[in-house]
Amino acid sequence: MRLVFSGATLIDGRGGRPIANAEVVVEADRIMAVGSAGELPDQGDARFINLTGKYLLPGFINAHDHLTTKRLRGSRTDRASADDALMVARGIQNALVNLREGVTTVRDAGAPRGLSLSLKSAITSSDIVAPLILAAAQGLTETAGYAHEIFVEVDTPLEAKKATGVMIKRGADFIKCMASIEWGHAEGEPLSTVNMDVATMRAAFDLAHHHSRRCMAHALCDEAIANAVEAGADTIEHGVFLSAATAKNMSKRGVGLVPTLSGYKELRNDWGRGQGIMRQSAKLVEHHKVGFRNALDAGVTLAFGSDSLGNLMDECSTMQEWGMTPMQCIEAITRNAAILLGIDDRVGIIAAGRTADLVVLDSDPISNIAALGEVELVVKSGRLIDPARLPIKFPGGAVLSTAPGE
């Protein structure tokens, strides 16, 4: 059936002036037409959905999450030791929590044993209405390097190339390298330093690009960020210590940043990972603001990512607090994220021919960024989703299943 969303103020994700009293025509999973009321041809027996007084935006995009281990307590080893089936089930739950927030596309940035691929398969092969999942499978790291408990250890360009090929054969959508390693568990230890060298990362990224896969790099210290850019990364994840000079180089090369601000802010709290991690995270947040501002000033494309502990509202609030306008925040969760993930021909803006991923808000997010948390309706590939009927996830990992009475 053809649907017509009418009467809303349209914020299409491209950063331009909102369109009052707009109409968006959807058929099956596609946007067919967009315009002001009265501009479009008569839609005959289409179903009209009156959104007068509401705000219509593109579906949000989370460019960095860890769905199978999201908001789990304990060390990395503890979090990786859960049963595979349980982790995939948690991943589905967390995907639905994303959908409740208006997120219709998620890039999973890596999981133990590559379980993000199992999660993606479980969702795509079923009738579950969930965000589109793009999966990085497992990251690459040095032997005993950062996140070695859950990722693949490689020490030479040849090993990196072989591991990348295996992940591509398994169906990975992205290839990830751990360019930096973070300690800071004890006073006096460095907060971040180089983990993987340029040659090893380049071997992985070159093969990935040959197979039309985009590449991401976990990188906090400025040297590791510069190394990852030199090696061919398409996006830098976190970028805490990003210098002005490296930010300018990223902008020149078209390398984007997914800062995951809210994740590091939340990690200052007790998640069963030790006082050292809490102390480290508090220090990282102090530096993160400077790195973020350097990226913003250099014109680096910035996108939203929650990481395993953050969320969309905290991320956007922090982005605004640290210098972005509300419209820039909206672009970060829509078009910018789509560009960095290489899917801007499908999602990220509201335009004819794009996938019908939409979010209806109760009030104006440009006047008040908190309105991004007032999601009234989600449209995923043309299917109407009432967010009140989706899971609510609490900080300790508990879940309230659905709306009252169910």
Side-chain angles (χ1 to χ4, degrees):
M1 173 182 285
R2 181 165 288 209
L3 302 175
V4 180
F5 299 89
S6 65
T9 297
L10 176 67
I11 302 174
D12 69 6
R14 288 182 276 206
R17 184 185 299 274
I19 301 172
N21 196 21
E23 284 191 349
V24 176
V25 181
V26 169
E27 187 163 0
D29 64 348
R30 291 285 137 197
I31 298 171
M32 305 303 293
V34 180
S36 298
E39 285 184 352
L40 304 180
D42 179 70
Q43 298 301 315
D45 60 355
R47 176 187 172 188
F48 278 75
I49 299 174
N50 185 357
L51 299 179
T52 301
K54 309 298 181 182
Y55 292 79
L56 186 61
L57 283 72
F60 304 150
I61 299 170
N62 187 343
H64 188 124
D65 205 342
H66 295 277
L67 292 169
T68 60
T69 56
K70 191 176 183 71
R71 291 200 161 232
L72 284 180
R73 296 180 61 81
S75 69
R76 190 174 291 112
T77 300
D78 293 337
R79 286 174 273 142
S81 64
D83 176 78
D84 287 4
L86 177 60
M87 293 185 78
V88 171
R90 286 189 62 90
I92 293 172
Q93 167 192 301
N94 288 323
L96 295 177
V97 173
N98 268 277
L99 192 62
R100 183 186 179 96
E101 293 183 341
V103 173
T104 53
T105 301
V106 177
R107 177 172 66 170
D108 190 291
R113 300 174 293 283
L115 287 172
S116 53
L117 295 176
S118 300
L119 168 63
K120 177 181 176 180
S121 177
I123 289 174
T124 57
S125 62
S126 70
D127 290 329
I128 299 172
V129 181
L132 170 68
I133 307 296
L134 302 172
Q138 289 176 279
L140 305 182
T141 190
E142 281 191 341
T143 296
Y146 189 71
H148 67 273
E149 302 92 337
I150 60 174
F151 288 159
V152 178
E153 294 170 303
V154 296
D155 296 310
T156 67
L158 180 58
E159 288 180 356
K161 184 176 181 180
K162 286 183 175 180
T164 297
V166 169
M167 278 190 268
I168 291 171
K169 286 168 64 177
R170 291 181 64 191
D173 300 299
F174 290 83
I175 296 300
K176 179 180 182 180
C177 285
M178 312 306 281
S180 69
I181 183 169
E182 285 67 58
W183 291 294
H185 298 175
E187 291 291 352
E189 288 182 334
L191 292 175
S192 178
T193 190
V194 170
N195 185 50
M196 296 179 70
D197 62 59
V198 173
T200 303
M201 289 191 289
R202 181 181 285 128
F205 293 161
D206 282 353
L207 182 62
H209 288 146
H210 179 72
H211 288 273
S212 301
R213 303 307 202 272
R214 295 176 73 83
C215 302
M216 56 197 298
H218 166 103
L220 273 67
C221 67
D222 190 58
E223 184 180 357
I225 299 169
N227 286 349
V229 172
E230 180 65 25
D234 298 296
T235 62
I236 298 298
E237 313 300 305
H238 319 305
V240 173
F241 294 92
L242 178 65
S243 69
T246 303
K248 289 178 181 177
N249 189 36
M250 286 176 61
S251 181
K252 180 180 178 180
R253 291 178 177 233
V255 179
L257 175 64
V258 185
T260 67
L261 309 176
S262 59
Y264 283 101
K265 292 179 78 172
E266 181 59 35
L267 199 52
R268 296 174 299 181
N269 299 320
D270 183 8
W271 283 89
R273 303 179 190 183
Q275 292 295 317
I277 291 289
M278 295 167 63
R279 181 173 58 248
Q280 175 201 46
S281 299
K283 293 178 180 178
L284 290 176
V285 169
E286 297 173 9
H287 293 280
H288 216 166
K289 182 176 182 178
V290 177
F292 179 81
R293 283 293 320 185
N294 285 336
L296 189 60
D297 292 345
V300 173
T301 300
L302 293 155
F304 157 62
S306 67
D307 211 343
S308 60
L309 291 176
N311 63 74
L312 184 142
M313 270 312 310
D314 287 346
E315 191 77 13
C316 288
S317 296
T318 304
M319 284 179 166
Q320 184 183 28
E321 178 187 344
W322 289 1
M324 290 179 76
T325 67
M327 184 62 85
Q328 287 176 316
C329 293
I330 292 169
E331 290 180 273
I333 63 176
T334 56
R335 180 182 64 171
N336 284 5
I339 290 171
L340 295 189
L341 301 191
I343 55 173
D344 50 305
D345 59 335
R346 292 183 276 162
V347 296
I349 64 172
I350 298 178
R354 297 303 202 277
T355 301
D357 287 353
L358 308 169
V359 175
V360 177
L361 302 179
D362 192 54
S363 59
D364 181 8
I366 297 175
S367 300
N368 182 5
I369 200 70
L372 291 172
E374 301 171 0
V375 177
E376 185 165 301
L377 178 69
V378 180
V379 182
K380 174 58 195 164
S381 298
R383 300 176 71 171
L384 307 183
I385 310 296
D386 179 0
R389 301 178 69 85
L390 293 171
I392 305 170
K393 194 166 191 294
F394 291 110
V399 173
L400 176 66
S401 61
T402 52
E406 295 202 324

